[in-house]
Amino acid sequence: MYLHRLELRAIGPYPELVSIDFAALAASGVFLLEGPTGSGKSTIIDAVVFALYGGLAGADASNDRLHSQHADPAVEPYVELVFETGAGVYRVRRSPQYDRPKQRGTGTVKQQAAAQLFRLVGPADVAGEPVSSRIPEVGAEIARIVGLDKAQFLQTVVLPQGEFARFLRSPGEERRKLLQSLFGTQVYDRTAEELAARRRAVQAEVDGADARVRDALNRFAQASGTDDPEESEVPTTVATLRSVADAAEAARATASAAATAAAAHEQAVTTRAAALDRRAALLGRRAALEQHAPRVDAARTRLALGERAARVVAVADGLDAARTRSAQATADAEALRARHAVTSGAEDLARERAAAAESLAEVRHLVAVERALPGRRRTIADAVGRGEQLVVRLAELDTALEARPAERSRIVEDARAAAALAAGAEAARVEVERIDQLRADLTARGEADRRVRRAEQAKTDAGATALDRVRAEQQLRERRIAGLAGELGAALAPGDPCPVCGATEHPVVATPQDDHPTTEAIEAAGAVARRAEQDLSDAAATLAVERAALERLVQALGDTDAVTIDALAAAAAARVQAAHDAAVLVRTLEQQRAAHDEQTRALERQRNEVDAERAVLAGSVAADGERVAADTALVQQGVARVAAHLDDVPDDLQTGVEQLDALVARLDAVAQADARAATAAEAVHDRAADVQRVLAEQEFDDVADARAGVLDRASAERLRDEVAEADRERAVVDAGLADAAVVAAADDDRERLDLDGARAAREQTAVAADDATRLATSAGDRAAASEQCAADLAAAVRARDDTSARSRAVVRLADIAAGAPSVNPSGITLGTYVLMRRFEDVVAAANDRLRAMLAGRFTLETSDERESGSRARRTGLALAVHDQTTDTVRDPRSLSGGETFTVSLCLALGLADVVQAEAGGVSLGTLFVDEGFGTLDPETLDDVIGQLSRLTAGGRQVGIVSHVEELKQRIPERIAVRRTADGGSRVTTTV
């Protein structure tokens, strides 16, 4: 990841806008961020971290330090960072939460934090494509783009003040937490936790399997009736119970067979005795039937005669009824003809009725036509009146439409004139913006002029101060040179050779004056002089910047003054207002034109509708008149046709149709009466023939003989019941005597049948069979229950063995991952083991750099032992320093300040290399190192700078945050931070 540009305002000690071009600064690979202590160097690092992750670099830093106390409270604090990764170029802008003045009234209101992320085409793209403006989404997207979270970023890209030295000195447990967050090895801890959970689960399964075995064994004891059986005794017990059950079953089968045989014998004896009794009864009933046979035969003969006579009488009764109906039908027909004065024969009557019906069918539909004629005539009259009204309305609409074009032309001309005036709105707006910019430049020119005068005064003051400091240093050096003899004399001891003449005797030794300057005083004066010179350089740079800004504003404004700008602004405002009024008028006229056109179209539609209605009415009136005349003629013809069948001409068609309907109904009634009389006469003839046929079939001479032979209902029922009863009794007796058991009973002797003995034998064998069945059932149930419980026990034992076999691997693996001493003597957990391997890579990378520093005196070593002074168990992440000069192992806390910084820096750089590799090869193009260089001697500083320079060989940018004076001379590219008179700070960039 490369940083291109950082911009911030109202952040920390920076009330004004600060813009830093990292791409230009890092052209040579290394740049310096320098300034006095507390001036705000670390704030720039915090701004980078805040822009990316919404937090600060230091672990103990508070977000409250973000909003500048030196800026106007109404100014929005923000940080904007342009950076580049393999995923592209992005710009992120963040604003922290801050209190701003209320827009109305007094007091403040809390402004919430905000974030925006843009994807850019290139670093110079000022617009970009918005990605998100929601803080959680921006954070997640940046973590994805950069490939590092905040903790990894602070250990690989930004090494905050004091943070990487803390990693060197921290105990193993704290180091484990940091490494775990950097390398994301929580998955291994979760794996160990999952294994532990599975261990508990399988242990619970094993306990459950043991409980199920015990439960199955208890159920077997209850089923088999044994006390506390062993698992090994179960098969023998089951075999014993099965043999007992089999023996009881065999005894039950024998007893059951004996009981069945005794019951069958008793049933056979009982059946034979019953057959003897039944045969005797049947023989008695047959004798009674033979005794009453003549009487039954006489009844059967009399019933046959009565049935034949009844058939003849029934037909004769039908003949009498037919004769009565025929006489009545003939009388009714003659009476109806007389009532309707009908004398025609049947054929003439039919022809007259058909002609009348045909006329009715042809004219009946004209009745409705006749009834509708008055309404139709009124409708035609109304349509004629409506047509006249439509002609008048059509003339009115034509007059209104002729006046519409002239009115529309007036509206269009007014709109065209207003549009021409409104077209100058954009030019007027641009002119207003240009004048506003001129006014802002005029104000800025005044401010720039005042800043130039202040910068000139500051440069003059800095020059005088620098001259005084240099002269003071020169005077000290001259005084030291002048009193150098006294300084040398003070260092001589008796017998020592003189460093000037070499003599060992010193008769008159020069002594230093009381105010002779010391080396430390001269160096302090030199440092003060260098700082004064730097202040002078800074003042000169500031003056140059301010003069350039003033010159740009002077050239931009020329001779323009406030009066000219006010006049131009008034004219431009008038043009803008006129264009605005014209635009409003254009919209109003356009609305009027649209409304006018819509009204015109409405009038045209209304005119077309009126014209169409008039034309339709005219056509329909003519057609309806013709149809009314035709229908009137048809009605008159229908009246004439109906009158031809009537005695008088009817007043209208409806009356004629009603009279003709009545005539047809009378003719139909007469014809139907004649038909009924003829049908009745024919029925009499048919019935007479039937009587003669039945007399011959039933062998009677005449109807009177047949009537004499008819039985009354009571006598017939009595004789019929007598015959039926005799037939049923004979059938029952014959069927009973034909039964096989009754037939066999003819050869039996009642004296030989012992029914009581058979019954006693059956009862005795049944009791024995019941006893044997109870014993067999009890033994079988116990054996079956024991076998089932034994099978359940065997299944439970197999399940327990399978569960134990499966659990052993899980338990061992979980114990190893958890560092259980029984299987893992080292006591190192899985997550710590993985971190150890990563930590070894970090230490190896750190040693590669450390060998080139501090004359190769120190190397780092890892250990899985508990660190001294730590009560925690062994983490495997202990760290020690091997001193090659004494061949001893030292605690990192025993190192001096410079040694600590050097070793910590190497460890941090090694950690950055390994994290970069572990983060999927994330390209880390920019690195910041914050403070610590002041503890190094010149030689060690050279080594450190050399190592940092090695990082730039691959295109990396390395920023060093320090106030060490020597670094200013070594690194020309720098960001200088200086305090201002009002308590804030400002930034100057030197490339």
Side-chain angles (χ1 to χ4, degrees):
M1 185 190 75
Y2 291 88
L3 303 183
H4 285 287
R5 185 175 65 257
L6 175 68
E7 185 176 287
L8 56 95
R9 184 180 66 180
I11 296 294
Y14 304 106
E16 303 296 335
L17 178 66
V18 174
S19 181
I20 300 175
D21 189 347
F22 287 112
L25 280 169
S28 63
V30 180
F31 62 91
L32 178 65
L33 175 56
E34 58 90 9
T37 301
S39 59
K41 300 186 297 299
S42 297
T43 301
I44 294 178
I45 305 299
D46 286 335
V48 173
V49 178
F50 174 73
L52 292 173
Y53 298 101
L56 302 182
D60 300 328
S62 171
N63 285 348
D64 294 340
R65 63 179 284 188
L66 279 173
H67 189 198
S68 177
Q69 303 300 318
H70 307 287
D72 186 345
V75 174
E76 176 195 15
Y78 75 88
V79 177
E80 185 173 281
L81 177 66
V82 178
F83 64 96
E84 181 178 1
T85 69
V89 183
Y90 294 87
R91 181 176 71 249
V92 60
R93 178 189 174 101
R94 286 186 189 266
S95 296
Q97 177 178 288
Y98 68 100
D99 294 330
R100 63 170 177 81
K102 293 182 178 179
Q103 295 180 352
R104 295 180 179 86
T106 59
T108 61
V109 63
K110 190 173 294 296
Q111 182 70 35
Q112 297 301 322
Q116 292 177 299
L117 180 64
F118 301 86
R119 183 182 179 92
L120 309 181
V121 177
D125 186 3
V126 297
E129 174 189 356
V131 176
S132 178
S133 60
R134 298 181 66 248
I135 293 178
E137 292 180 359
V138 170
E141 189 66 16
I142 287 181
R144 182 191 66 81
I145 294 170
V146 177
L148 302 171
D149 59 20
K150 179 184 174 184
Q152 292 173 323
F153 186 82
L154 292 178
Q155 288 295 331
T156 56
V157 177
V158 177
L159 306 181
Q161 185 172 346
E163 290 293 324
F164 51 95
R166 183 183 305 172
F167 178 73
L168 173 67
R169 297 169 177 169
S170 61
E173 182 64 22
E174 294 183 9
R175 194 176 293 121
R176 183 188 67 81
K177 294 178 182 178
L178 176 59
L179 292 174
Q180 187 180 63
S181 66
L182 291 176
F183 293 111
T185 58
Q186 295 89 342
V187 64
Y188 298 101
D189 290 339
R190 291 195 296 271
T191 301
E193 293 172 358
E194 176 64 21
L195 288 173
R198 294 191 181 186
R199 185 189 192 283
R200 292 191 295 273
V202 298
Q203 187 61 48
E205 291 180 7
V206 171
D207 295 341
D210 289 339
R212 287 189 288 275
V213 169
R214 290 193 298 272
D215 182 63
L217 195 59
N218 291 333
R219 291 199 303 272
F220 176 78
Q222 293 176 358
S224 62
T226 57
D227 296 331
D228 298 330
E230 299 292 337
E231 291 183 22
S232 59
E233 298 173 356
V234 171
T236 304
T237 303
V238 170
T240 301
L241 292 175
R242 176 48 60 189
S243 63
V244 171
D246 292 343
E249 178 62 24
R252 185 203 61 78
T254 302
S256 296
T260 301
H265 176 66
E266 180 191 13
Q267 182 64 30
V269 171
T270 302
T271 301
R272 289 167 61 189
L276 283 173
D277 296 339
R278 185 181 178 195
R279 184 175 183 278
L282 290 173
L283 290 176
R285 292 167 67 182
R286 186 168 66 177
L289 286 173
E290 293 297 336
Q291 182 180 358
H292 297 93
R295 182 166 56 82
V296 173
D297 291 340
R300 196 185 307 277
T301 301
R302 182 69 183 90
L303 276 173
L305 177 62
E307 290 175 354
R308 290 189 292 110
R311 295 188 189 99
V312 174
V313 170
V315 177
D317 292 342
L319 175 60
D320 294 340
R323 285 171 178 168
T324 301
R325 288 193 297 272
S326 177
Q328 182 64 41
T330 300
D332 292 341
E334 290 175 353
L336 188 62
R337 278 177 170 272
R339 186 167 65 250
H340 295 312
V342 177
T343 59
S344 304
E347 293 182 358
D348 293 340
L349 184 65
R351 282 195 298 273
E352 183 179 358
R353 192 265 176 203
E358 181 180 0
S359 297
L360 273 175
E362 292 180 356
V363 303
R364 187 182 299 278
H365 69 282
L366 295 176
V367 173
V369 174
E370 181 188 41
R371 190 180 302 114
L373 283 174
R376 293 168 61 188
R377 292 189 183 99
R378 287 193 301 271
T379 301
I380 291 173
D382 293 341
V384 170
R386 173 63 178 165
E388 294 173 353
Q389 294 175 358
L390 291 176
V391 169
V392 174
R393 177 60 179 161
L394 189 62
E396 294 174 353
L397 291 174
D398 288 339
T399 302
L401 287 172
E402 290 174 357
R404 302 298 290 180
E407 184 178 355
R408 188 181 189 282
S409 298
R410 180 188 60 77
I411 295 173
V412 170
E413 287 300 325
D414 292 345
R416 185 178 295 111
L421 183 59
E426 181 61 23
R429 185 187 61 79
V430 172
E431 179 65 15
V432 169
E433 292 179 355
R434 187 184 70 83
I435 293 170
D436 290 342
Q437 184 61 45
L438 286 175
R439 192 186 302 278
D441 289 345
L442 185 64
T443 302
R445 184 178 68 180
E447 291 293 332
D449 185 61
R450 287 189 290 274
R451 286 198 300 272
V452 166
R453 288 196 294 271
R454 287 197 300 269
E456 289 174 346
Q457 183 61 43
K459 180 176 178 297
T460 301
D461 295 342
T465 301
L467 180 60
D468 293 341
R469 298 294 184 268
V470 171
R471 287 176 178 173
E473 179 190 6
Q474 184 65 30
Q475 291 173 0
L476 286 176
R477 293 184 182 277
E478 292 175 354
R479 287 171 54 196
R480 183 170 182 267
I481 293 173
L484 191 57
E487 182 178 344
L488 293 175
L492 286 177
D496 291 339
C498 177
V500 178
C501 64
T504 57
E505 294 182 359
H506 316 293
V508 181
V509 179
T511 58
Q513 299 177 1
D514 294 338
D515 59 348
H516 181 72
T518 62
T519 303
E520 291 76 6
I522 294 175
E523 291 177 354
V528 171
R530 301 292 84 74
R531 283 196 296 271
E533 290 175 347
Q534 181 62 43
D535 292 341
L536 177 60
S537 176
D538 294 341
T542 301
L543 178 60
V545 171
E546 298 298 345
R547 283 175 174 171
L550 178 61
E551 181 64 24
R552 179 185 63 79
L553 292 172
V554 169
Q555 291 177 358
L557 289 171
D559 297 334
T560 304
D561 55 7
V563 176
T564 304
I565 291 176
D566 291 340
L568 292 174
R575 289 177 57 193
V576 169
Q577 184 61 42
H580 176 268
D581 295 341
V584 173
L585 180 60
V586 167
R587 287 195 297 271
T588 303
L589 292 173
E590 284 296 323
Q591 293 172 356
Q592 292 179 2
R593 183 191 59 76
H596 182 276
D597 291 345
E598 182 59 31
Q599 292 173 359
T600 301
R601 287 191 292 271
L603 288 174
E604 291 174 347
R605 287 194 299 270
Q606 188 175 3
R607 194 265 179 201
N608 294 334
E609 291 171 357
V610 169
D611 191 24
E613 184 180 0
R614 181 194 59 75
V616 169
L617 280 176
S620 64
V621 166
D624 289 347
E626 294 175 358
R627 285 194 292 271
V628 166
D631 290 345
T632 301
L634 289 175
V635 169
Q636 293 174 353
Q637 293 174 5
V639 171
R641 183 162 185 173
V642 169
H645 298 281
L646 301 175
D647 295 335
D648 299 322
V649 177
D651 295 335
D652 52 38
L653 182 60
Q654 182 174 358
T655 303
V657 168
E658 292 174 353
Q659 294 175 358
L660 194 57
D661 280 336
L663 175 62
V664 170
R666 292 194 298 271
L667 295 177
D668 286 341
V670 171
Q672 292 171 1
D674 291 345
R676 285 194 296 272
T679 300
E682 186 177 357
V684 170
H685 180 270
D686 293 341
R687 291 294 184 181
D690 290 341
V691 168
Q692 296 302 319
R693 178 180 55 78
V694 172
L695 285 173
E697 290 176 352
Q698 301 301 327
E699 299 177 354
F700 286 100
D701 294 334
D702 54 23
V703 175
D705 292 341
R707 290 186 184 280
V710 174
L711 286 171
D712 59 83
R713 182 181 298 275
S715 298
E717 291 295 334
R718 179 180 55 79
L719 292 175
R720 192 176 290 111
D721 291 342
E722 184 179 353
V723 171
E725 179 64 26
D727 291 343
R728 285 194 299 272
E729 180 67 13
R730 183 169 294 280
V732 170
V733 170
D734 291 344
L737 291 174
D739 184 76
V742 175
V743 173
D747 300 330
D748 272 340
D749 185 3
R750 186 176 294 277
E751 298 297 334
R752 296 198 301 269
L753 297 178
D754 185 5
L755 182 59
D756 294 336
R759 184 179 294 112
R762 190 262 305 166
E763 291 175 352
Q764 182 179 359
T765 56
V767 171
D770 290 342
D771 293 341
T773 299
R774 283 194 298 272
L775 293 175
T777 301
S778 176
D781 290 346
R782 172 163 290 185
S786 300
E787 290 171 349
Q788 180 60 46
C789 291
D792 294 343
L793 176 61
V797 170
R798 288 194 300 272
R800 180 189 63 187
D801 295 341
D802 292 343
T803 302
S804 298
R806 284 187 290 104
S807 67
R808 282 193 289 271
V810 175
V811 170
R812 176 175 174 78
L813 191 58
D815 289 343
I816 291 175
S822 59
V823 294
N824 187 352
S826 67
I828 298 175
T829 64
L830 175 62
T832 301
Y833 176 79
V834 174
L835 288 178
M836 286 173 60
R837 303 286 79 79
R838 299 293 186 273
F839 190 49
E840 290 173 357
D841 295 339
V842 171
V843 172
N847 285 332
D848 286 343
R849 290 183 169 84
L850 191 55
R851 292 188 184 94
M853 300 184 188
L854 301 175
R857 178 181 176 183
F858 299 110
T859 57
L860 294 173
E861 295 180 352
T862 62
S863 171
D864 62 352
E865 296 299 327
R866 182 185 298 112
E867 292 178 295
S868 61
S870 174
R871 295 183 179 180
R873 67 176 183 176
R874 292 187 296 178
T875 63
L877 299 174
L879 189 63
V881 177
H882 188 182
D883 191 337
Q884 303 294 337
T885 59
T886 60
D887 196 21
T888 57
V889 177
R890 298 168 53 183
D891 189 301
R893 289 172 292 185
S894 67
L895 297 175
S896 65
E899 293 170 344
T900 297
F901 171 77
T902 305
V903 175
S904 299
L905 179 61
C906 292
L907 187 61
L909 294 176
L911 181 61
D913 292 340
V914 176
V915 170
Q916 175 183 354
E918 287 294 324
V922 176
S923 177
L924 303 178
T926 303
L927 174 68
F928 286 95
V929 181
D930 190 357
E931 287 297 350
F933 294 90
T935 61
L936 305 180
D937 57 59
E939 182 180 356
T940 305
L941 182 61
D942 287 339
D943 294 340
V944 171
I945 296 300
Q947 285 297 319
L948 295 177
S949 299
R950 286 174 52 192
L951 296 176
T952 64
R956 264 185 170 180
Q957 305 168 352
V958 179
I960 298 175
V961 183
S962 179
H963 61 276
V964 176
E965 188 69 25
E966 188 173 351
L967 289 176
K968 299 179 186 178
Q969 303 173 7
R970 293 171 175 264
I971 304 174
E973 289 79 8
R974 71 184 67 175
I975 303 171
V977 181
R978 295 292 182 269
R979 294 191 186 91
T980 60
D982 55 3
S985 296
R986 56 183 175 80
V987 172
T988 303
T989 303
T990 303
V991 179

